[in-house]
Amino acid sequence: MSCSVLDLNVEAKDIRRIILEMAYKGNSGHIGCAFSITEIVLVLYSKFLRLDAENPKNVMRDFFVLSKGHGVMSLYACLSELGFVDKTHIENYFQDGSFLHGLGEYGVPGIEASGGSLGHGICVAQGMAFGLKRKKTDQKVFCLVGDGEINEGSFWETIMFSSHHQLDNLIIIIDANGYQAMGRTKDILDLGELPSKFISFGFDVFVCDGHDERELTLSIENCCLSKKPSVLIAQTVKGKGVSLFENNNEWHYKKMTNEVYEKATRELSQ
Amino acid sequence: MRGVLSEALVEQASKDKNFIVLSGDHGYALFDELRNTSPNHFVNVGIMEQSMVGMAVGLVSVGYKPVIYGLASFVPMRVLEQIKLDVCFSKSPVKIIGDGAGVVYSQLGNSHFCVEDIGCLMTLPEIEIYTPGDANEMRVCLIDFFNSNRPGYLRVGKADNPSTGVVPKGIEPYFTNQTNNSSCIVSMGSMNGISAKIAKQNNLSHLAVLKLKPISHNVVDLLKQFKRLIIVEEHQKIGGLKSILLNEFSDKNTNIPECEHFCFQNKFVHKCGTYQYVLSEHNLSFIQLEQRIKKLC
């Protein structure tokens, strides 16, 4: 069966509601990470990724690698809406003997590489893009990394290789929410102006509002048209969508009380 | 031994369009023939071992059969976590070749020594481990290594050490010498040839082991008849051949024979010297081995 963009009739708020339910019932952290990438993941699945609804392993598919596995609840929500992941797994999140871990792991239908250890998924994505380019297919590989994750040396190894081999089928999206686990990226390991860094490595660089679906769509289209490897710096807000979580790095770790859950639910219902 | 490896890579490339060898800027003459005959099947990715491991897994995802090559102190040692999570967890049949294992690069120093690799990899699920010691053993190991659909590690040690002089019939452990003596030398990889020689000199049996993980089911049956095992390996005391054998005896509820262990001690070598000199720092030079084992007889 051929691959095509699948029908994903949900809005970002719907995805965030699913994430909120998962995090509350499972008593999990990483809410801020999942909320910051919601629109990016949604746009990729609703506009770009050519997949086979019947066979997640169809060899002709496009690939999406969530290298920043910490945001995986967003991905689970989309995969469940697409029917790749059974909704009972969403309901049973973090229960003993359940299927889905708190960091994306290979083996879940639709998850192409394990992303819990940072700087790994991007290397796997690079291998996919390199192989597909050698096979001269038009398949694309999208890889979502965090702006904290790019502290990892393996990320920059990949940037060098992708540039040298002109992997124009590799589209790297950086979730630039300005935070990593223990604080602000600029305070911990300031990488300065990211666009100039990638340009100097030979990449095409695009920047957009990572929560504006129209801007994301246009920018990813531009990445797909580029004849060079490309990077999209998606400027996002960690915890986007619930005012209590936004730009509050505690929600990288914290678990919701009943009161917080109710407030967040009300806000996402407006 | 390296010639056999080179020929095998050329053969794999000639029969499978998806076969690809990645090197982290190591290997020099080993890949000359492959690069001459099948240049599209070889990629020097640059000095980036971490990324190379993930790249190989990505290549598997899109239909390739990758080999990754490096010096053993870097592949697998430097990239152990990548091998665990990216290769082993996904059961990707990435074939890993670690060259110069042991203290082959004796005069270059500790950065290039690798006597911990087996101990580290033994703890990881899914991966298979091979330790050929001469050209014949390499030939046998490569058949199993490339035919298996699981991740594999081929440990390539000192290439010009003596051969056992016996051609193994298969991947199972094999005796190079069998006597009525109650002691048996058991060895792996680079120590197989010298162990075979010492066994003959002292009228001892000698069992050479080629595949360490999973180790042959019959290794205990082959060894339980002996009162004493003399285990020789170019590896750390912990995690190598002796540990594997003791686990097998224990798992099979079989009485463990008395063991003499000739191996690397848990210490670094701070002085520079030849291969035999570095071995001698751990009482493992071939002369020392001959003397120490003779004393036991």
Side-chain angles (χ1 to χ4, degrees), chain B residues 72-73 76-77 80 102 110 113-122 155 234-236 238-240 266-268:
Chain B
S73 48
M77 285 306 296
L80 191 64
N110 291 276
F113 295 171
C114 178
V115 291
E116 318 81 4
D117 49 338
I118 292 166
C120 292
L121 290 180
M122 280 302 295
R155 184 190 213 235
E234 193 175 335
H235 188 273
Q236 270 277 352
I238 297 165
N266 194 229
K267 66 171 189 177
F268 292 109

Side-chain angles (χ1 to χ4, degrees), chain B:
Chain B
M1 185 163 78
R2 288 164 66 81
V4 172
L5 176 56
S6 170
E7 285 166 18
L9 297 175
V10 170
E11 186 193 345
Q12 292 293 322
S14 70
K15 67 183 187 189
D16 191 338
K17 66 180 169 44
N18 289 320
F19 180 78
I20 185 168
V21 177
L22 310 178
S23 167
D25 204 32
H26 280 129
Y28 194 52
L30 177 67
F31 301 119
D32 283 355
E33 194 61 22
L34 178 68
R35 288 197 285 183
N36 283 336
T37 55
S38 306
N40 291 334
H41 292 260
F42 176 82
V43 183
N44 183 347
V45 302
I47 307 164
M48 39 178 271
E49 292 88 358
Q50 293 183 81
S51 193
M52 178 170 70
V53 177
M55 189 190 306
V57 174
L59 283 163
V60 169
S61 297
V62 297
Y64 284 87
K65 295 178 181 170
V67 168
I68 56 176
Y69 173 91
L71 301 192
S73 48
F74 312 124
V75 182
M77 285 306 296
R78 184 184 179 120
V79 295
L80 191 64
E81 194 225 353
Q82 274 81 8
I83 292 173
K84 178 185 109 174
L85 184 69
D86 301 334
V87 178
C88 294
F89 183 71
S90 67
K91 300 181 187 174
S92 294
V94 173
K95 303 301 174 183
I96 300 162
I97 299 176
D99 205 350
V103 289
V104 172
Y105 297 107
S106 53
Q107 281 148 330
L108 298 186
N110 291 276
S111 67
H112 282 48
F113 295 171
C114 178
V115 291
E116 318 81 4
D117 49 338
I118 292 166
C120 292
L121 290 180
M122 280 302 295
T123 62
L124 303 185
E126 307 299 340
I127 196 163
E128 300 180 322
I129 302 175
Y130 303 84
T131 58
D134 63 23
N136 291 321
E137 293 181 356
M138 176 65 88
R139 210 167 274 119
V140 166
C141 285
L142 284 169
I143 293 169
D144 205 71
F145 183 62
F146 284 126
N147 283 344
S148 168
N149 199 32
R150 295 171 65 183
Y153 171 54
L154 182 75
R155 184 190 213 235
V156 183
K158 187 88 166 119
D160 55 357
N161 274 359
S163 162
T164 64
V166 179
V167 180
K169 293 192 176 77
I171 197 69
E172 298 296 312
Y174 69 102
F175 283 103
T176 67
N177 202 43
Q178 276 184 289
T179 72
N180 292 326
N181 196 300
S182 60
S183 294
C184 177
I185 304 177
V186 193
S187 65
M188 67 170 189
S190 56
M191 291 297 177
N192 283 348
I194 184 66
S195 297
K197 180 185 168 195
I198 295 171
K200 283 194 184 82
Q201 286 171 346
N202 295 284
N203 195 37
L204 300 172
S205 294
H206 169 233
L207 187 75
V209 182
L210 308 182
K211 186 173 183 179
L212 296 185
K213 186 168 181 281
I215 197 160
S216 171
H217 292 300
N218 73 351
V219 72
V220 170
D221 289 335
L222 294 173
L223 294 173
K224 67 185 180 188
Q225 61 186 298
F226 298 101
K227 283 188 181 160
R228 180 168 58 181
L229 302 182
I230 301 164
I231 301 166
V232 186
E233 53 185 323
E234 193 175 335
H235 188 273
Q236 270 277 352
K237 191 172 188 171
I238 297 165
L241 182 60
K242 181 185 175 188
S243 300
I244 296 164
L245 292 175
L246 293 191
N247 280 336
E248 285 298 304
F249 273 88
S250 169
D251 288 351
K252 291 197 161 67
N253 289 320
T254 304
N255 286 336
I256 299 170
E258 180 189 326
C259 287
E260 298 288 342
H261 194 195
F262 298 97
C263 63
F264 272 69
Q265 302 304 308
N266 194 229
K267 66 171 189 177
F268 292 109
V269 175
H270 293 280
K271 289 178 183 167
C272 181
T274 61
Y275 177 66
Q276 290 297 330
Y277 171 79
V278 176
L279 290 177
S280 75
E281 286 284 300
H282 292 265
N283 292 321
L284 283 178
S285 75
F286 289 180
I287 291 171
Q288 287 169 321
L289 277 177
E290 286 178 4
Q291 291 168 346
R292 289 175 74 193
I293 293 175
K294 192 173 182 181
K295 266 191 195 168
L296 293 173
C297 299

